[in-house]
Amino acid sequence: MQGPNPTPMLSGIDALYYFAQSGAFYDRFFESIMEKIEEKKAYFDSLNFAYENSDIIIPINGIDMIYSGAGRDGFQWFGHEFFRAGFKDSEKNPSIHNIRIQLNAVGIYTLGIKSLIEYINSKLLDEVTSGYYPITRIDLNTFVQHDFKYLRKEYILSKKKNHSANISERSSGYELETYYVGKKPFLLRIYNKKAEMKSASEIKREIMLNHFGVNGLDLKGPIFNVEFEMHREYLRQYGIDTIEDALARAEQLFTKACELIRLIDPDTLSASELKANRKRAKTLQIWQEIKEGYSIDAFMQVDTPLEKVEQISSRYSLEDAERSIKRIITRLLVHGNHPTLFYFLDVLQKARDELELRRNAKELHPKYPPESFEEELKALNRDALESLERRLELEMQQTEIGDLYYEELSYHYTAVFNEFVRRGLRRDF
């Protein structure tokens, strides 16, 4: 199944999760985060804006983070294009570290894993950690120019009993998409990377294609990912505790993993020999190449200066918005609607007007809260009452019927009308 030339492959680390031990200033840091979340919620409430967690974007040590909500593990989770971060109350579940970090592929392949870790630890977590970073998971992988569509259980030699495969139907027949061996804390995934990228985000697809092209993989040929997922319980068997330990011994870990789960060539034994002792079968040639070829030297040399990392990171929210807008435009075009430049300018202006209207309403609400509004009206003279009436009427004209804010405006407007009636003033409403 393999020619005389070495198979092109690209070694690396696809994901890395770790804890960060909190330091003396952590409690105040966590309190400030929660205060910012509540402030953002209060702001949205004041505008009668129906928000979701993802609408709450707060700065954490100068980095804009998107709130994901509270997890079942007690952590408050935040998303960034390059990583996820979780923080919890230090008094809750004290047996677990207070900070969790999860690096993703987009961040790793955009910035380099060392640069990304430095950015998080020195910028996001500045002065709130003790400098101890226990690793919780690492995914060691090799992208290989080889088609594993033939793979089935007969090729796998392992003590792991858990096997599963995702098979897709193509016009040319059935093709393997993903093959799994084992389960947490140690498992192997072999999957069709090109098929997986079809459902990936546009930015991830672009980054990965660039990564493959720059490093010599043929984008027209098959590309599979051979990936070992290793969790803390497994890593500690080999004395690996911290990020530094895992990175220093990544190649040894990968080699050992290829021995624990070995792909064999069943054609090197007869049917009876296979049944009697499959261990005697020779290692599949491509598996031997993958095992011997794994090296992260080049991968670890990718180093982005911290200043450059900050410039790249500051752009992500606008790029994310652009992708969302493009998806909406695509849906319009698919359904035969072709928006013009004037259409977008009109939508932009309406959005600005609505936001300004909601901001202006904040001046009204503190002065005339619903529970005391009628009492406050009694203290206004006729000119002030008429001015307030005109303002409410104008705002109602610019607000859609059915909107929660419209309902509140209606309440205030009716209260003003009733005040005129109470004073015996004839008004032509």
Side-chain angles (χ1 to χ4, degrees):
M1 296 179 186
Q2 178 63 41
N5 297 321
T7 304
M9 58 185 67
L10 190 55
S11 305
I13 298 171
D14 224 24
L16 191 148
Y17 298 0
Y18 62 97
F19 285 123
Q21 186 181 62
S22 56
F25 302 107
Y26 175 77
D27 286 341
R28 181 67 195 115
F29 169 81
F30 180 75
E31 288 173 8
S32 71
I33 289 175
M34 299 309 296
E35 287 171 1
K36 289 175 184 177
I37 292 174
E38 293 307 313
E39 287 172 3
K40 205 73 170 183
K41 289 180 177 179
Y43 174 70
F44 288 144
D45 288 338
S46 72
L47 300 178
N48 285 315
F49 178 70
Y51 62 89
E52 297 180 355
N53 284 332
S54 58
D55 293 312
I56 300 174
I57 302 176
I58 66 169
I60 301 179
N61 281 336
I63 301 176
D64 284 343
M65 301 291 290
I66 302 173
Y67 184 51
S68 302
R72 287 183 291 182
D73 52 7
F75 283 80
Q76 303 289 334
W77 282 98
F78 297 85
H80 185 282
E81 188 175 23
F82 298 151
F83 59 90
R84 292 182 72 224
F87 306 98
K88 74 171 183 67
D89 187 330
S90 62
E91 295 183 0
K92 296 180 180 179
N93 202 356
S95 61
I96 298 178
H97 288 286
N98 297 319
I99 305 170
R100 300 178 72 172
I101 301 295
Q102 300 177 354
L103 310 187
N104 63 36
V106 171
I108 291 171
Y109 292 111
T110 299
L111 306 175
I113 195 165
K114 288 196 303 182
S115 303
L116 182 55
I117 291 171
E118 180 187 2
Y119 176 61
I120 295 169
N121 293 349
S122 65
K123 180 74 175 176
L124 180 75
L125 306 180
D126 182 35
E127 296 186 350
V128 299
T129 74
S130 67
Y132 173 51
Y133 305 104
I135 191 163
T136 60
R137 170 181 164 181
I138 189 169
D139 293 1
L140 305 178
N141 75 300
T142 292
F143 297 111
V144 55
Q145 199 97 65
H146 182 83
D147 194 340
F148 278 101
K149 64 182 179 182
Y150 58 85
L151 193 60
R152 57 187 186 275
K153 193 171 183 177
E154 288 74 14
Y155 284 82
I156 309 296
L157 183 63
S158 170
K159 294 180 180 180
K160 303 288 183 182
K161 296 181 180 180
N162 298 83
H163 290 248
S164 63
N166 292 338
I167 308 294
S168 62
E169 188 174 2
R170 301 277 189 264
S171 57
S172 58
Y174 292 95
E175 292 184 7
L176 176 74
E177 287 198 348
T178 310
Y179 196 98
Y180 301 90
V181 182
K183 59 181 180 179
K184 295 179 182 180
F186 172 67
L187 62 130
L188 165 67
R189 277 187 301 273
I190 299 177
Y191 62 92
N192 187 332
K193 184 62 180 179
K194 290 178 70 174
E196 185 255 0
M197 286 195 299
K198 291 178 181 178
S199 60
S201 66
E202 183 178 346
I203 188 169
K204 181 178 180 180
R205 185 162 55 249
E206 180 181 342
I207 289 170
M208 296 312 302
L209 289 174
N210 179 69
H211 181 65
F212 296 152
V214 168
N215 289 281
L217 293 187
D218 181 2
L219 300 180
K220 295 181 180 179
I223 300 177
F224 270 69
N225 191 20
V226 176
E227 181 175 76
F228 290 101
E229 180 180 317
M230 306 174 184
H231 291 255
R232 185 162 180 79
E233 305 94 300
Y234 173 83
L235 295 170
R236 293 185 71 173
Q237 297 177 33
Y238 300 96
I240 293 174
D241 179 42
T242 65
I243 297 174
E244 292 78 9
D245 296 338
L247 295 179
R249 298 179 59 189
E251 293 172 6
Q252 294 172 279
L253 284 169
F254 191 90
T255 299
K256 182 64 176 178
C258 288
E259 295 170 354
L260 293 174
I261 302 177
R262 182 165 69 99
L263 267 61
I264 63 172
D265 186 349
D267 294 335
T268 58
L269 295 178
S270 66
S272 58
E273 287 174 325
L274 275 174
K275 188 175 182 180
N277 189 355
R278 296 174 68 246
K279 293 182 180 179
R280 294 177 54 200
K282 292 183 179 179
T283 300
L284 199 64
Q285 183 177 343
I286 186 62
W287 196 248
Q288 192 64 30
E289 288 188 41
I290 290 170
K291 173 184 173 182
E292 295 175 354
Y294 186 82
S295 171
I296 62 168
D297 288 345
F299 178 82
M300 294 299 294
Q301 288 174 9
V302 178
D303 190 12
T304 306
L306 187 59
E307 299 78 15
K308 184 68 173 177
V309 174
E310 292 179 345
Q311 292 174 10
I312 295 172
S313 296
S314 66
R315 298 198 311 259
Y316 86 95
S317 57
L318 286 178
E319 291 177 354
D320 190 56
E322 179 183 340
R323 290 194 295 274
S324 299
I325 293 169
K326 283 169 66 178
R327 284 196 294 269
I328 294 171
I329 295 173
T330 300
R331 283 199 292 269
L332 286 171
L333 295 174
V334 167
H335 289 87
N337 297 312
H338 298 271
T340 64
L341 178 60
F342 293 107
Y343 168 81
F344 288 113
L345 289 174
D346 182 57
V347 171
L348 176 60
Q349 189 58 51
K350 287 179 179 176
R352 284 175 172 169
D353 290 344
E354 182 177 341
L355 180 59
E356 188 64 25
L357 184 65
R358 291 175 182 272
R359 283 175 174 166
N360 289 339
K362 290 178 67 178
E363 300 173 8
L364 177 67
H365 293 181
K367 190 173 182 181
Y368 304 114
E371 60 272 14
S372 60
F373 188 67
E374 291 88 348
E375 292 300 318
E376 296 287 348
L377 291 179
K378 295 177 182 178
L380 299 180
N381 61 33
R382 179 169 180 170
D383 288 341
L385 202 61
E386 289 178 343
S387 176
L388 178 58
E389 174 210 8
R390 287 194 297 271
R391 178 177 174 182
L392 289 168
E393 187 173 18
L394 178 62
E395 292 190 16
M396 288 177 68
Q397 290 172 358
Q398 298 181 58
T399 306
E400 292 185 13
I401 297 175
D403 189 289
L404 288 175
Y405 181 49
Y406 183 89
E407 294 178 7
E408 187 169 343
L409 288 170
S410 298
Y411 162 77
H412 287 95
Y413 190 81
T414 302
V416 172
F417 173 80
N418 291 337
E419 179 60 20
F420 277 115
V421 173
R422 189 188 69 82
R423 296 185 187 188
L425 300 172
R426 298 272 179 184
R427 296 285 298 165
D428 182 17
F429 281 91

